[in-house]
Amino acid sequence: MGSSKFVIVVAAIAALSGLLFGYDTGVISGALLFMRTQFHLTPEGEGRVVSGVLFGATFSSMVSGRLTDRFGRKRVILGTALLFAIGSILTAFASSVSLLVAGRVVLGLAIGVASFAAPLYISEMSPAKIRGSLVAMNQLAITIGILLSYVVDYAFSSTGNWPMMVALGAVPAVMLAIGILFLPESPRWLILNNRETQAAEVLKRIRGTEQVSEELTEIKAALSEEKGDWREFFSPHLRKALIVGVGLGLFQQFTGINTVIYYAPSIYKLAGMTSDSGSILATAGVGLVNVIMTVVALLLIDRAGRRPLLTIGNIGMGLSLAALSLSFLLHADAQVLKWVGVGSTLVYVAFFAISLGPVFWVMISEIYPLRIRGFAMSFATAMSWLSNMIVSYTFPMLLANLGVGITFGIYTIITIASLAFAILLVPETKGLSLEQIERQERSGTLH
Ligand code: BGC
C-alpha cells in the first residue's frame, strides 16, 4: 500500500472514534421518546439521561490528558473503544433510571477521551500538506455518526426498540478496538519516550521513504526547546495558543450548534410544524447537510486554510441565526415562520460544518508543543464539553422563559463575537509542520 493511502487508512480507523462520538450523542434524540414511557421519566429524569453523556465527557476530558502523554495515543484509543462497548451494553440492558444514567455516564467517559485522543493521534501521523483534511475526517465521522443515529432511531421507532438503538453503538466500538491493534504508535510520542528506532520505522512506513532523518531531527530539535511539564501551557509564548484553543472550544458550543443537533424537532414544533414525519424529515435533512458540508470543509481546509473557513462560516451562521430570531421577534406570518425555521437551521448547520465544526478540532491538534500536547488538548476539549453541557441544559429553559426570538438573538450576538475572535486572534497553520508551528509560536511570528 502506498504511504499516503496507508495514512488515510490510519486516519479512517482512528476516526471510528468520531463515529462513536456522533452516534452516542445523537441516538438519544429518538431513544428518549421510548425511554420516557418505559421508565415514566420526569423532565428532571430526562435531563439526567440526556446530560449523563455530557457530564461523563466533561469529566474524562478534564482528567485524562495525562493518559495520552503517559501511555501513548494508541493504547488510550484502544481503552476508550472497550469503554464504548461496555457503555453501550450497560445502557441497553438498564432496568432502572439509575442504571440508565450510569450507562450514559460510562459512554460519556469514553466520548470525552476519544474526542481529543483521535484528532491528536491523526495529527501526529499526518504529513503537513494534508493534516487538516485528515484530522477533519474525524469531524466527518462525527457527522456520519449523528446521521446514522437519526436513521437507526427512525428504523426502530415503529417498534419502540430503544435498547437496540443504543446497543448498535457496540458494533463500531468493536471495529475500532480491532482496527487500532494493527496501527502503529505515533512517531512523535515514541520520540518523546526515547524510542527513536521504533519512531524511525513508523515514519518510514507512513511517509513511504527511507529518508526520514530530517523529520526525526526536526521533532527532536523542537523537543529540546520545550520545558517539559504542564506549566509550559501557561507560559507567555503559549498564551495565544491557550486563548485560541479554549476560545474556539467555547465559541464552537456557545454559538448554539447542539440546540439544533439535539433539539431540532422542538424548534420545528415552535415554528408551527405539526406533523411528526415533517419534523423527522427536516431533522434528517440537518444531519445530511452536516455530512455533505463537512466533506466540502475537508476538501478546502488545506487549500483555502483554516482562517477563511472560520470567517465565512461565522458570517453565515450569524446571518441564519439572525433570520430565525428576527422572524420570531417580528411575529412573521405562520407560513413564513415554518419555512424560516427549517431553512435557517439548515443554512446554519451548513456554515457550522465548514467552520467551527472541523476547525476547532484541527487547530487544537496542532498549536500545542509535543510534551504537553495531550494535556493541552484535553483542557481545550473539556472547556468545549462543559460549554456543551451548559448550552444543552439551559436551552429548554431559555425557550420556555424567553421564547425562540430572544434565545436565538443571544446566540446571534455570541456568533458576532466569535467572528471577531476568528479575525483578530486565530492564526493560520495551513501547510506548516507541527514543529514549524511551534518554532513560530516561540518567536512570536505565527499569525
Ligand atoms: C461538536 C459537537 C457537535 C458536532 C456536530 C462537533 O464538532 O463538537 O458538539 O454536535 O460537531 O456536527
Side-chain angles (χ1 to χ4, degrees):
M1 197 186 303
S3 66
S4 58
K5 277 214 198 92
F6 181 62
V7 166
I8 294 173
V9 171
V10 168
I13 293 177
L16 280 171
S17 310
L19 191 92
L20 285 156
F21 167 167
Y23 189 86
D24 288 318
T25 49
V27 76
I28 197 64
S29 63
L32 190 63
L33 303 175
F34 306 103
M35 293 172 172
R36 191 183 288 149
T37 331
Q38 180 172 336
F39 295 107
H40 309 290
L41 289 176
T42 59
E44 195 270 341
E46 257 180 52
R48 275 193 296 147
V49 172
V50 174
S51 54
V53 155
L54 304 178
F55 172 77
T58 306
F59 178 77
S60 70
S61 54
M62 210 169 278
V63 300
S64 61
R66 300 276 182 81
L67 295 182
T68 42
D69 285 339
R70 179 127 188 229
F71 298 108
R73 298 18 177 159
K74 182 178 153 168
R75 252 181 283 174
V76 169
I77 296 178
L78 178 62
T80 58
L82 299 176
L83 211 53
F84 268 119
I86 296 171
S88 305
I89 303 300
L90 269 181
T91 313
F93 284 100
S95 53
S96 68
V97 178
S98 319
L99 285 176
L100 193 60
V101 175
R104 296 277 296 161
V105 172
V106 172
L107 279 175
L109 293 176
I111 295 175
V113 183
S115 63
F116 75 86
L120 164 64
Y121 174 69
I122 299 172
S123 171
E124 291 188 342
M125 299 294 279
S126 309
K129 262 199 337 261
I130 53 167
R131 189 182 57 241
S133 304
L134 290 183
V135 177
M137 259 172 78
N138 192 56
Q139 172 70 15
L140 179 62
I142 296 175
T143 62
I144 295 175
I146 294 172
L147 181 61
L148 214 61
S149 76
Y150 290 168
V151 173
V152 168
D153 279 357
Y154 182 62
F156 286 102
S157 61
S158 57
T159 54
N161 191 350
W162 69 263
M164 201 57 183
M165 299 175 187
V166 180
L168 279 177
V171 178
V174 172
M175 283 163 60
L176 173 63
I178 297 173
I180 197 88
L181 284 177
F182 293 95
L183 301 187
E185 180 50 270
S186 146
R188 291 183 164 81
W189 184 83
L190 288 168
I191 294 175
L192 182 64
N193 288 275
N194 304 318
R195 284 146 70 174
E196 213 177 292
T197 331
Q198 220 178 324
E201 287 311 313
V202 176
L203 274 178
K204 282 179 197 165
R205 180 136 178 245
I206 57 180
R207 302 287 177 260
T209 165
E210 291 293 307
Q211 269 66 61
V212 293
S213 57
E214 201 176 312
E215 190 166 355
L216 272 178
T217 315
E218 204 187 358
I219 299 173
K220 280 194 290 181
L223 265 182
S224 68
E225 293 287 314
E226 293 173 13
K227 283 205 208 80
D229 70 20
W230 59 270
R231 267 172 290 242
E232 179 162 11
F233 189 36
F234 300 99
S235 63
H237 75 278
L238 287 183
R239 185 105 347 124
K240 187 167 164 186
L242 172 67
I243 294 171
V244 167
V246 171
L248 284 176
L250 299 186
F251 283 124
Q252 193 202 44
Q253 296 300 326
F254 278 112
T255 47
I257 183 61
N258 289 316
T259 63
V260 177
I261 299 290
Y262 304 163
Y263 294 100
S266 320
I267 301 176
Y268 298 148
K269 194 161 277 171
L270 289 169
M273 190 177 271
T274 42
S275 91
D276 279 343
S277 59
S279 116
I280 289 176
L281 199 67
T283 308
V286 162
L288 192 65
V289 165
N290 197 12
V291 173
I292 294 171
M293 292 309 282
T294 306
V295 174
V296 173
L298 205 130
L299 298 174
L300 289 179
I301 197 161
D302 287 315
R303 291 183 204 167
R306 287 64 163 150
R307 275 175 55 86
L309 287 185
L310 265 188
T311 309
I312 295 168
N314 273 300
I315 293 174
M317 287 166 67
L319 290 175
S320 45
L321 285 171
L324 181 61
S325 164
L326 287 175
S327 59
F328 272 88
L329 287 177
L330 303 175
H331 304 290
D333 177 83
Q335 210 50 27
V336 174
L337 219 51
K338 226 192 289 184
W339 284 109
V340 174
V342 175
S344 63
T345 48
L346 287 174
V347 174
Y348 166 77
V349 166
F351 279 102
F352 172 86
I354 58 155
S355 60
L356 279 168
V359 173
F360 165 61
W361 299 109
V362 170
M363 277 261 154
I364 61 167
S365 74
E366 41 188 34
I367 56 174
Y368 300 115
L370 178 53
R371 261 188 229 282
I372 58 159
R373 196 169 289 147
F375 171 78
M377 269 189 86
S378 83
F379 186 82
T381 305
M383 291 302 112
S384 163
W385 282 112
L386 186 65
S387 320
N388 186 345
M389 196 158 68
I390 295 172
V391 172
S392 307
Y393 183 70
T394 53
F395 180 66
M397 289 181 268
L398 289 179
L399 273 190
N401 293 310
L402 304 176
V404 180
I406 296 184
T407 304
F408 281 93
I410 296 174
Y411 300 132
T412 309
I413 293 169
I414 298 177
T415 307
I416 296 171
S418 167
L419 174 65
F421 180 81
I423 294 174
L424 298 175
L425 280 168
V426 176
E428 184 56 80
T429 48
K430 164 183 92 167
L432 300 171
S433 75
L434 296 176
E435 289 69 33
Q436 279 168 332
I437 295 174
E438 192 177 333
R439 231 178 296 137
Q440 293 192 9
E441 254 159 4
R442 220 168 271 287
S443 58
T445 52
L446 185 67
H447 300 297

